[in-house]
Structure formats: structure tokens, C-alpha cells
Amino acid sequence: MTHTLHRRGDRENLSGDYIVFTMSAKGFNEEGSAEKMKEFLKILLKYHPVNFGDMITGNCYVKSAEEIWHNINTTSIIHAVFTDEVTVSKILQELRARDLGLSVVVTGIHETTEECCQEAGLQKHTVEHSMGIFGDLNRLPEEAVLQLSTMCGHAMVPANLVLRMVREIKKEKKSFQDAALELTKPCHCGIYNPARAEKLLRQLVPLMTYDS
């Protein structure tokens, strides 16, 4: 199970949302993994992610790249977010050539990630799929809000913060880009996609009637 599986949306807006991450397995390849994860992050940064981070230190919108880099250790989980499959395919090709000995997880539309693997000469080991939300669904926020909040798999971006950003945009206190970055910051791991968030806000704000 991965915290990146909870994302909601349609095929169109999820087509610009890909997360690539790695971690070590305790008792298997943990020893020496910190340096390998630093190399992993170095490779990812070459491709200009819209967000990145380590679950230990935080994301690049609240911590510097240098701080994230220096704090990587054997229990880190390194994440980066990208907006197109061509870049993901290139990353996988480079990771395959580098052969760091770490498991790599890619989250995105199944068919697209399959194509990326094939282009890189890789075969998927495991496929995970979220089965959705069970329980009293009437208590959930509306779907457009969930699409923004669920990009943080640890629920650090609450629905009320999304609605607050909507109000501040409507009052012209924040731009769409600034509001998207405000939603990105609480997602500690660095898996929130600010580019997708901005697009979703542009669709959501005209539909909402919050005036106060």
C-alpha cells in the first residue's frame, strides 16, 4: 500500500500527475541505502519535478534542497512529482541504467505507467489500485474538493483549507498559483502536485458560491 494511491480525478486531469519514489527495505537493502537514495534524488532533480521531498525532512516548498539532501538516511522515502509521461519514461530509462538496487514506485494512470516501463525495458513487479472510499459517503466533501485534498495521501491538506483557498481567490487575496502552493506546503512528503492543483482550482472556483 502506498500513500500516493488515494488521488481522485478523471483521466484528463490525472494524465498530468505522476509520482516517482523509492525507499529501502529494512533487513534487505537498508545498509548503504542513504547514498543510493541521494543518487536517486540527484537523477530525479535533473528532470525538474514540480515538487519533491523526503518524508523525514519535508518537501521543497518548506525546506531547502540542500537540507533535504543532507538529511537523507536509510529510513528516508524520496519522492518527486512530474507532469508528463515522456519525462517519467526518461527517468525510468536512466534509473534502469544506473541500477541502484532500490525498489522504485511510479504512481499514475495504469496504461501510461505500463508504456513508460516498456519504453525503459522494464517489467512491473506489482500493480496496486485503490478501491476507493467505504462508509458513510454523504459525509465526504464534494468530489471537486476531494480531487485537491487527496493529493496528500496522509490527509495533511484538509477540505477546509481547500475551501479557504477558494474564498481567498474569489476575494482576489490570492492568485490561483499562490493558492496552489499554499495547498502544497502541508503535504510533508512532497507528493502534492501544485501544477495540477492550480488547474483544478481554476475549474473549481467559478463553481463555488463562497462569498465570506
Side-chain angles (χ1 to χ4, degrees):
M1 184 63 181
T2 167
H3 57 313
T4 61
L5 279 182
H6 303 293
R7 289 157 128 76
R8 297 171 68 96
D10 56 33
R11 189 179 187 89
E12 181 180 357
N13 66 52
L14 286 170
S15 66
D17 191 27
Y18 301 93
I19 308 97
V20 182
F21 70 93
T22 193
M23 61 186 294
S24 65
K26 189 173 181 62
F28 290 92
N29 61 356
E30 186 177 17
E31 186 176 351
S33 62
E35 290 305 314
K36 293 178 180 180
M37 283 190 272
K38 287 182 177 181
E39 181 66 19
F40 177 84
L41 180 58
K42 181 179 178 181
I43 291 170
L44 296 186
L45 292 181
K46 287 171 54 179
Y47 295 91
H48 309 293
V50 294
N51 193 7
F52 68 91
D54 177 6
M55 65 164 291
I56 291 177
T57 306
N59 69 63
C60 63
Y61 291 96
V62 295
K63 301 290 184 178
S64 69
E66 292 76 16
E67 188 173 358
I68 294 170
W69 175 273
H70 287 298
N71 285 342
I72 292 175
N73 61 49
T74 58
T75 59
S76 292
I77 305 179
I78 307 301
H79 314 80
V81 183
F82 300 92
T83 59
D84 69 282
E85 65 272 19
V86 174
T87 299
V88 174
S89 180
K90 291 178 180 177
I91 291 167
L92 292 180
Q93 291 175 44
E94 185 164 349
L95 289 173
R96 183 192 180 202
R98 185 64 182 83
D99 193 17
L100 295 171
L102 295 171
S103 177
V104 174
V105 178
V106 179
T107 298
I109 297 173
H110 286 316
E111 294 89 341
T112 306
T113 57
E114 179 66 35
E115 291 172 1
C116 291
C117 288
Q118 290 178 357
E119 290 174 4
L122 296 168
Q123 189 171 25
K124 289 180 180 177
H125 176 275
T126 303
V127 176
E128 295 181 318
H129 181 76
S130 174
M131 298 301 293
I133 301 172
F134 297 85
D136 186 359
L137 303 184
N138 291 324
R139 301 181 66 182
L140 288 173
E142 56 191 279
E143 178 63 25
V145 174
L146 283 173
Q147 289 183 17
L148 283 153
S149 64
T150 57
M151 279 194 284
C152 177
H154 290 119
M156 301 300 290
V157 180
N160 283 341
L161 180 59
V162 174
L163 297 177
R164 177 184 168 190
M165 291 301 102
V166 169
R167 289 193 293 269
E168 295 203 358
I169 292 170
K170 292 182 80 71
K171 291 181 177 181
E172 299 184 347
K173 291 183 176 181
K174 285 190 186 297
S175 66
F176 285 97
Q177 184 180 35
D178 289 341
L181 292 180
E182 283 299 309
L183 294 176
T184 301
K185 291 176 182 179
C187 181
H188 186 77
C189 292
I191 66 168
Y192 202 87
N193 186 334
R196 180 177 180 235
E198 182 178 346
K199 292 178 181 179
L200 291 174
L201 284 169
R202 289 184 182 278
Q203 296 170 9
L204 174 61
V205 168
L207 303 177
M208 303 299 275
T209 58
Y210 293 96
D211 297 320
S212 61

